[in-house]
Amino acid sequence: MEKLPKIALPVIFAVIVVIILLSKSAITIGSGEAGVLYKTFGGGVVTDEPPLGEGFHIVAPWNKVYVYEVRRQEIFEKMKVLSSNGLDIQLDASAWYKPDVANLGKLHQEIGDNYLNRIILPTIRSAARSVVGRYTPEQLYSSKRDAIQQEIFEETKKIVDEQYIVLDEILVRDVTLPPTIKDAIERKLKQEQESLEYEFRLVTAEKEAERQRIEAQGKADANRILSASLTDKILQDKGIEATIKLSESDNSKVIVIGSGESGMPIILGNQ
């Protein structure tokens, strides 16, 4: 009984040490995350092995694990840039990005977990200034927004791909021009639209006038052909034919249709 406490104390101490070591060694990687292992006595950041995936892991208590979010993330950025003629333009954009999981160790070793502010944002700003500087305010306001968005994305992606970062998309959400420039552009666009509408009405009216001229000419030609074909003999025969049909009517009494060869009128009637 007297020896029991002496035996129990080392056991209790050992259990406490084991618990502390386990607490230091147990690492849980959450959903959408990955861990970079740093070996204190083994060469530092592990870059030649895949990062630690989701779930529970046991590592040596003297090593460290740096946890990164590897899901797609979004960053919003407002930028002041200059157009080709030196006017201040505000560009509102967002970027979809995530770290390259296969090279997460290299990203941590060469750049660190603050890669958003060290790489992505400076690159987007530089690309936006370069691209917007090629266009006039009119182009930025109207027809070139999709082209600007694509060019900023391509220039940014070219750089970040070499920094172990995956850039999925850059979206230009708004382009804000100085109020005076915006008003001038809107007036110009309105005038151009009104001019196009006026030209359309002129073309439509001209086509309608041409249609009417063609229709009138066709009727005139038809009448001329018909008149040329109707000789006196044909007219006389048609008149006689119509008169005979009329004389056969019950209501007909006496009809004078002209004179015969003897100069006497030809009289038709009912008997």
Side-chain angles (χ1 to χ4, degrees), residues 27-177:
I27 299 294
T28 300
I29 306 296
S31 176
E33 297 177 337
V36 176
L37 180 62
Y38 178 87
K39 294 182 177 180
T40 305
F41 305 108
V45 177
V46 176
T47 59
D48 56 353
E49 296 178 8
L52 302 178
E54 299 175 1
F56 182 79
H57 301 271
I58 297 294
V59 299
W62 51 84
N63 293 337
K64 296 180 180 180
V65 174
Y66 297 89
V67 178
Y68 281 75
E69 184 173 359
V70 295
R71 288 175 290 203
R72 174 191 284 177
Q73 302 167 66
E74 185 174 19
I75 179 67
F76 294 88
E77 182 70 2
K78 292 181 179 292
M79 296 169 281
K80 292 286 188 180
V81 293
L82 297 178
S83 64
S84 61
N85 54 358
L87 290 174
D88 287 329
I89 308 294
Q90 179 173 301
L91 199 69
D92 294 357
S94 65
W96 296 344
Y97 70 94
K98 59 186 176 182
D100 182 1
V101 178
N103 293 296
L104 198 58
K106 293 181 180 179
L107 174 65
H108 180 76
Q109 185 181 55
E110 299 180 19
I111 301 172
D113 57 0
N114 195 24
Y115 63 92
L116 173 62
N117 292 314
R118 290 181 176 178
I119 300 296
I120 296 178
L121 288 179
T123 305
I124 291 176
R125 292 166 186 158
S126 176
R129 293 188 185 99
S130 174
V131 171
V132 172
R134 304 170 192 161
Y135 295 94
T136 64
E138 291 85 351
Q139 292 172 322
L140 296 172
Y141 185 76
S142 55
S143 61
K144 295 296 184 180
R145 183 172 299 189
D146 291 341
I148 293 166
Q149 177 175 290
Q150 184 63 26
E151 289 179 28
I152 294 175
F153 170 71
E154 290 174 355
E155 290 196 15
T156 305
K157 183 175 177 61
K158 189 186 303 181
I159 295 175
V160 302
D161 278 353
E162 299 176 355
Q163 305 298 323
Y164 318 114
I165 301 168
V166 177
L167 184 67
D168 291 328
E169 192 64 83
I170 288 182
L171 304 174
V172 174
R173 299 186 178 274
D174 191 25
V175 177
T176 304
L177 305 177

Side-chain angles (χ1 to χ4, degrees), residues 21 31 61 138-139 151 175 178 183 198 204 215 234 241 270:
L21 290 176
S31 176
E138 291 85 351
Q139 292 172 322
E151 289 179 28
V175 177
D183 292 343
Y198 179 72
T204 303
E215 183 177 351
I234 293 176
E241 180 181 344
N270 291 337

Side-chain angles (χ1 to χ4, degrees), residues 197-238:
E197 292 177 356
Y198 179 72
E199 291 179 3
F200 175 77
R201 289 197 297 268
L202 287 179
V203 171
T204 303
E206 184 177 348
K207 289 183 178 179
E208 177 61 19
E210 180 65 19
R211 185 192 67 79
Q212 292 179 359
R213 283 195 297 270
I214 293 174
E215 183 177 351
Q217 184 64 42
K219 291 181 178 179
D221 293 342
N223 290 335
R224 186 175 63 255
I225 294 171
L226 180 61
S227 298
S229 62
L230 293 177
T231 63
D232 292 339
K233 179 61 176 174
I234 293 176
L235 291 174
Q236 184 179 7
D237 292 343
K238 291 293 184 180

